[in-house]
Amino acid sequence: MSNLNRAEQPIGIFDSGIGGLTVVRAIKDLLPKEDLFYLGDTARLPYGNKDRLTIERYSLEIAGLLTAEGAKLVVVACNTASALALPRLHEVFRIPIIGVIESGARAAVAHSRNRRVGVIGTRATVASRAYERAIQTIDPAVTVLSQACPLLVPLIEEGMFDHSVTIEMLHHYLDPLIAERIDTLVLGCTHYPLLKKTIAGVVGDEIVLVDSAENCAGQVVEVLRDGGLENRAERPGYLEVALTDSSNPFFKTADRVLELNISRVQTRIVQGVTLAATPVVP
Ligand code: DGL
């Protein structure tokens, strides 16, 4: 396929669930002409407390589905999948695959003045130390203080964005990082941008919040431009959403809060996609 034809293909985006729609919002803001195909693996959510092999397998299956849909580029909108499965995805697929860790790490290093950076995420993301490695590859002098926040995703999924229980949990997780004098905090989970205002209220003005969704979208712009893959169509791009389970009520909250106006959601099965079917190379 020529680069001109490939440019007209959609960007494939996936997450363990609905939270990756924060990345979709950020990409739509920067690239309104791009067609987007989003897969939320709601049937197998959460990824954040699973092991590497499982997360790799799920990610390979979904990236296979997205390439079969003709994706010109795949965005791993899930922090957990980016932290644990990105190297394996790069081994298997030849199209560009972007995760959220590298851009978040770059932004954190750029913002931090005192070189003390906090990272919050799921248990799997924090245990993988992927942010720590990425940040210290850029600047080995940065001290990274990480905190797993397993209770935040369920609170966000319940729409309890500024509930007193959420604020209490945020203090529980963040006060130790504040005491360690971090000046930058990476929101290392797809869901956390939905909590940005509440987190800002808890940590105060002195700590810069790095939103992995926004920074990842910036990297998508760079990769499309460098590869000559920008869609130049004179119309707004479409957004197609597929979920592996349709029962999650959080979808409606996310759609409303992020103002995506998703009209149709399809249900797709990814389980059972074999590796033989995945490496579709354009
Ligand atoms: N999408 C996941 C992440 O960004 C959070 C939800 C989950 O645990 O699957 O890490």
Side-chain angles (χ1 to χ4, degrees):
M1 200 188 286
S2 73
N3 256 17
L4 210 60
N5 292 338
R6 280 180 68 204
E8 288 166 12
Q9 299 292 107
I11 297 174
I13 304 165
F14 80 88
D15 177 36
S16 54
I18 313 289
L21 289 174
T22 55
V23 178
V24 168
R25 176 71 268 165
I27 293 176
K28 271 180 86 63
D29 287 344
L30 293 185
L31 296 163
K33 291 180 186 171
E34 295 295 335
D35 294 328
L36 309 178
F37 184 98
Y38 179 88
L39 190 290
D41 195 7
T42 39
R44 302 187 290 193
L45 173 101
Y47 284 13
N49 50 19
K50 295 193 168 63
D51 68 21
R52 178 182 299 276
L53 279 181
T54 305
I55 295 164
E56 277 184 355
R57 178 163 57 85
Y58 290 174
S59 302
L60 288 168
E61 289 171 354
I62 296 172
L65 182 146
L66 294 174
T67 52
E69 287 287 329
K72 61 183 170 185
L73 174 147
V74 168
V75 179
V76 185
C78 178
N79 282 259
T80 305
S82 298
L84 288 110
L86 208 56
R88 186 78 186 106
L89 290 172
H90 282 145
E91 270 169 29
V92 173
F93 296 94
R94 296 226 309 262
I95 57 168
I97 301 189
I98 299 173
V100 283
I101 308 280
E102 193 190 314
S103 48
R106 270 200 265 154
V109 173
H111 284 298
S112 180
R113 295 282 155 265
N114 71 356
R115 290 176 159 162
R116 296 182 72 77
V117 171
V119 175
I120 51 173
T122 63
R123 277 205 182 100
T125 298
V126 168
S128 75
R129 306 180 75 170
Y131 271 108
E132 203 170 321
R133 272 197 308 276
I135 290 171
Q136 288 176 342
T137 302
I138 304 166
D139 185 347
V142 174
T143 301
V144 181
L145 298 127
S146 304
Q147 175 67 54
C149 305
L151 290 173
L152 292 188
V153 166
L155 289 168
I156 295 165
E157 298 225 337
E158 288 301 321
M160 294 165 71
F161 301 128
D162 44 19
H163 194 282
S164 58
V165 171
T166 307
I167 293 170
E168 199 171 319
M169 282 321 302
L170 284 171
H171 277 292
H172 171 73
Y173 290 135
L174 299 178
D175 286 355
L177 298 182
I178 299 169
E180 289 282 355
R181 295 181 297 103
I182 59 161
D183 72 349
T184 304
L185 178 66
V186 179
L187 307 183
C189 172
T190 44
H191 286 58
Y192 301 168
L194 291 165
L195 217 53
K196 208 170 172 180
K197 271 199 203 126
T198 318
I199 294 175
V202 169
V203 299
D205 298 341
E206 303 290 297
I207 295 179
V208 177
L209 300 182
V210 171
D211 177 337
S212 54
E214 271 172 18
N215 288 290
C216 171
Q219 200 186 350
V220 172
V221 172
E222 281 171 29
V223 172
L224 290 184
R225 194 188 46 218
D226 295 351
L229 290 172
E230 297 147 297
N231 194 333
R232 302 196 184 279
E234 289 305 322
R235 51 148 186 85
Y238 66 73
L239 166 61
E240 220 173 311
V241 174
L243 302 177
T244 53
D245 177 276
S246 61
S247 66
N248 191 328
F250 179 54
F251 178 73
K252 287 207 173 65
T253 314
D255 186 18
R256 179 174 45 78
V257 174
L258 297 168
E259 296 175 18
L260 288 166
N261 300 319
I262 300 161
S263 46
R264 200 173 71 92
V265 184
Q266 40 171 309
T267 309
R268 295 288 283 266
I269 296 170
V270 288
Q271 227 158 357
V273 175
T274 61
L275 258 188
T278 51
V280 180
V281 178

